[in-house]
Amino acid sequence: MEYERGNAFPSYSDGDVAIYLSPEMTYQLHSQVLKQHSTFFEEKLSVPGTKLTAKARKDGAAAYCFELVSRSQDDPGVLQQREVQENGKVKNSIFASGLNLRQMMVSNAKLRHWGFLFGIFYGKPPGFDEDNTVQLVTDCHEFIDVAKSMGAIERIRDTVDLALLRQDMNLWTSIANNPKAWAGLGRDIHSPTIYKEALCHLVGKWRQIDPETKSEMDEDMKSVIQTKYDALESSKEVIELRILGHYPPALCRNATDKPGRPSYSGDIYMWMAICFFRQWFAQAISEHRTRLGLDGGFKFYQAIYQSSQAYLHHEDFQQFYQYFPMSSKGRNVLESNMNLLKSEVKDFVEKLIINRSHMPNGSVDWFTCANILKSDLPWENEEGLADEAQLHDDIDTVDDGNEDEVQAPVTQGKDKGRGKAKASPVPSGTRESSVVAGSSGNKRKRSRSKDAGTAAAAPGVVDGKGKTKRARVSTRSVSRGASAAAARRARSKGAEDSDALADDERDGE
């Protein structure tokens, strides 16, 4: 569609940037707005635009012009800048050249995404079809590609994230089915919810993912997944050792009680249950149904957590009874002891069964217990490194600036080091200062600066030529009060000297 110039999006009469997406779809926008939201436009529009004639400005011509060109049907296209003449005409425009534009134009479906992007710059929400999850996901992927090419991914992240999160269960199911793709998208839009959900599934399915697919992942993402997976495997190994080494507390005895055979004979059925349980567990390890299995032992640990008749149920005991026959009462006691043992080892696998995904319990057949933290988000680390680099730059700047500053004067004090420190030149009138040595290990010292510029004038002193001479008496002040007292003493002494000198002159006459 072709828009008429006006004072509203997408065509403003005072817009100085013309953007031609197709012969029928044009925009006239403001350079200040485009530079604010896009690094692409920030670079391209940094050079002053064409100085248009008065007639061109009256006709609503733009000082800048861009045209969307596609290299293939699947390509979202790229904006190419065209030269604008003084009369407002666009030079070398492909849309005005009369060429076959079919191969150079972007499909109408992809043109929508360019319109969505420019609309967001002006506060217009994109028109995603949120009733169709498949179409929404496709639109979001292509919309992100357009935003990346314009350096505007920061501007559209929240919009895309909210549109996807509103899909709720459809979104979580899609992430579970294709976590690798969703992890990449979650990273692009800096969505903690989507990224954590995808990584949670990737950790649980890590053993099933082929090496080629793993090699295609970003190294930082792969490092986080591998770390979480290794921690999960270590936990499973520890859990298996605890299960195999578990004894019900009721079996334990105190040495001080000196238990004999009668004491242990009462627990014969529990010992038989332990023997049967460990044989079953060892066989599961041998058949790779535990942590060494393709599913990482997911079904095996699920059965242990469910306890009861999820494993080693009544039918499994029938073969055991063929080799170790016993009465009906004995069978009931044996199976009751087995259930007691299973209920105790159930707690060992509880942490493995935690579901940290948004999928319902039992809807997936892999572990979803990985805890993805905020520190595992790659953009958090990038921002942290950027802040640290900025901090170092600030420190370096401060250090460089301090090199030219006047150092605080170090003067003599009353301590033992008096007279050893060299006094820096200070302005006249400098009073007492406290100085802390900057080098490591130096003690804090309070030193008094020599009040070199403070001198008390003694009026009335007459020299041999009959001229009045002002006597200057250097004083060392510790405080304002001390300085004033020293000045008074100096004036008094000067007056005495003046009187004595006057008497000598009279005697001489």
Side-chain angles (χ1 to χ4, degrees):
M1 58 182 293
E2 185 173 5
Y3 303 105
E4 296 181 358
R5 289 189 178 91
N7 292 316
F9 184 83
S11 186
Y12 295 87
S13 58
D14 60 344
D16 56 345
V17 181
I19 301 175
Y20 295 88
L21 301 182
S22 71
E24 298 80 21
M25 196 172 185
T26 63
Y27 293 78
Q28 188 155 343
L29 308 174
H30 305 92
S31 59
Q32 290 299 325
V33 175
L34 297 176
K35 288 192 293 184
Q36 181 182 358
H37 298 293
S38 166
T39 58
F40 172 85
F41 285 116
E42 184 180 9
E43 177 184 355
K44 296 293 184 182
L45 302 178
S46 60
V47 180
T50 302
K51 188 175 181 179
L52 302 173
T53 62
K55 183 179 183 304
R57 292 195 301 270
K58 184 178 179 180
D59 294 339
Y64 303 91
C65 179
F66 295 88
E67 293 180 340
L68 184 63
V69 179
S70 177
R71 292 179 290 268
S72 65
Q73 288 293 325
D74 297 331
D75 183 31
V78 60
L79 287 180
Q80 294 182 353
Q81 189 170 8
R82 304 298 182 201
E83 181 181 353
V84 179
Q85 300 175 340
E86 292 183 354
N87 59 4
K89 301 294 183 181
V90 180
K91 190 175 182 180
N92 299 325
S93 172
I94 62 172
F95 294 113
S97 62
L99 300 174
N100 182 9
L101 302 178
R102 184 179 299 273
Q103 296 180 348
M104 305 177 66
M105 290 177 56
V106 178
S107 64
N108 291 333
K110 291 181 171 56
L111 288 178
R112 294 173 59 247
H113 306 135
W114 287 93
F116 290 165
L117 181 63
F118 297 141
I120 286 180
F121 292 170
Y122 283 84
K124 306 290 183 181
F128 291 132
D129 182 8
E130 298 189 13
D131 294 332
N132 187 339
T133 303
V134 176
Q135 184 61 45
L136 173 63
V137 172
T138 302
D139 285 343
C140 287
H141 276 286
E142 296 179 353
F143 184 42
I144 290 172
D145 291 339
V146 171
K148 281 183 177 179
S149 68
M150 291 290 100
I153 190 69
E154 293 282 352
R155 186 65 182 82
I156 61 101
R157 278 172 174 152
D158 291 342
T159 302
V160 175
D161 192 19
L162 290 175
L164 292 171
L165 292 177
R166 281 194 289 266
Q167 296 299 302
D168 198 30
M169 202 61 225
N170 290 333
L171 172 65
W172 311 132
T173 302
S174 181
I175 294 177
N177 292 333
N178 191 3
K180 175 179 172 291
W182 280 101
L185 188 145
R187 176 174 183 164
D188 287 340
I189 64 175
H190 288 190
S191 172
T193 305
I194 293 177
Y195 189 78
K196 288 181 179 180
E197 182 79 7
L199 256 64
C200 181
H201 291 293
L202 284 171
V203 173
K205 302 172 72 172
W206 196 240
R207 185 185 289 271
Q208 306 172 27
I209 301 176
D210 59 271
E212 183 178 355
T213 302
K214 292 180 181 179
S215 64
E216 297 172 354
M217 297 181 182
D218 294 325
E219 287 300 323
D220 52 358
M221 181 193 305
K222 187 164 58 176
S223 175
V224 172
I225 297 173
Q226 187 66 54
T227 300
K228 301 293 183 181
Y229 173 77
D230 292 342
L232 176 61
E233 291 299 297
S234 298
S235 297
K236 288 189 285 188
E237 184 177 3
V238 171
I239 288 171
E240 289 183 5
L241 291 174
R242 290 186 64 188
I243 291 176
L244 287 172
H246 175 70
Y247 292 93
L251 292 181
C252 299
R253 301 288 190 272
N254 291 324
T256 56
D257 296 337
K258 298 181 179 180
R261 284 178 296 174
S263 175
Y264 286 108
S265 63
D267 297 323
I268 184 61
Y269 285 103
M270 177 57 78
W271 284 105
M272 293 176 67
I274 293 175
C275 179
F276 192 13
F277 178 86
R278 291 182 178 177
Q279 179 186 359
W280 170 83
F281 203 104
Q283 187 174 352
I285 295 176
S286 177
E287 296 173 352
H288 289 184
R289 289 190 284 116
T290 59
R291 60 187 174 86
L292 299 179
L294 186 61
D295 65 346
F298 177 77
K299 294 180 180 178
F300 181 80
Y301 296 115
Q302 281 280 355
I304 290 181
Y305 185 73
Q306 293 171 7
S307 186
S308 186
Q309 296 298 309
Y311 68 101
L312 289 179
H313 42 71
H314 178 73
E315 287 72 15
D316 294 328
F317 276 89
Q318 301 309 310
Q319 186 177 4
F320 180 82
Y321 295 145
Q322 292 180 5
Y323 296 95
F324 308 99
M326 58 185 68
S327 64
S328 298
K329 183 179 179 180
R331 295 181 181 185
N332 292 334
V333 174
L334 176 61
E335 293 180 26
S336 296
N337 279 273
M338 178 63 77
N339 289 334
L340 178 61
L341 178 61
K342 289 192 291 186
S343 66
E344 292 182 359
V345 300
K346 168 186 176 179
D347 296 337
F348 295 157
V349 300
E350 184 177 7
K351 291 184 178 180
L352 298 178
I353 310 303
I354 294 176
N355 180 16
R356 289 193 169 93
S357 75
H358 289 81
M359 295 295 290
N361 291 331
S363 58
V364 297
D365 56 357
W366 55 82
F367 291 100
T368 54
C369 57
N371 188 15
I372 311 300
L373 306 175
K374 182 179 180 180
S375 58
D376 297 323
L377 305 179
W379 56 90
E380 292 289 341
N381 293 330
E382 292 169 2
E383 292 173 0
L385 292 175
D387 292 342
E388 184 177 355
Q390 182 62 42
L391 178 61
H392 286 305
D393 291 342
D394 293 342
I395 293 175
D396 293 340
T397 302
V398 172
D399 290 342
D400 293 341
N402 286 342
E403 292 178 358
D404 299 330
E405 293 181 0
V406 178
Q407 299 295 321
V410 180
T411 58
Q412 296 178 352
K414 292 184 177 180
D415 58 350
K416 294 182 179 180
R418 185 173 184 177
K420 295 182 181 180
K422 295 182 180 180
S424 301
V426 295
S428 177
T430 303
R431 296 192 181 275
E432 178 185 0
S433 63
S434 297
V435 182
V436 180
S439 58
S440 175
N442 290 346
K443 296 182 178 180
R444 183 183 299 267
K445 299 179 180 180
R446 290 186 57 86
S447 59
R448 296 171 180 171
S449 62
K450 187 175 182 180
D451 198 348
T454 303
V461 179
V462 181
D463 60 8
K465 298 179 179 181
K467 297 181 179 181
T468 301
K469 184 176 182 181
R470 299 180 65 85
R472 299 182 59 84
V473 181
S474 297
T475 63
R476 178 175 301 172
S477 60
V478 178
S479 62
R480 289 184 179 272
S483 298
R488 287 195 297 270
R489 288 195 299 271
R491 285 196 297 269
S492 177
K493 183 65 169 61
E496 294 175 0
D497 292 343
S498 178
D499 293 341
L501 184 58
D503 292 341
D504 292 342
E505 288 182 350
R506 283 194 297 272
D507 295 340
E509 291 176 356

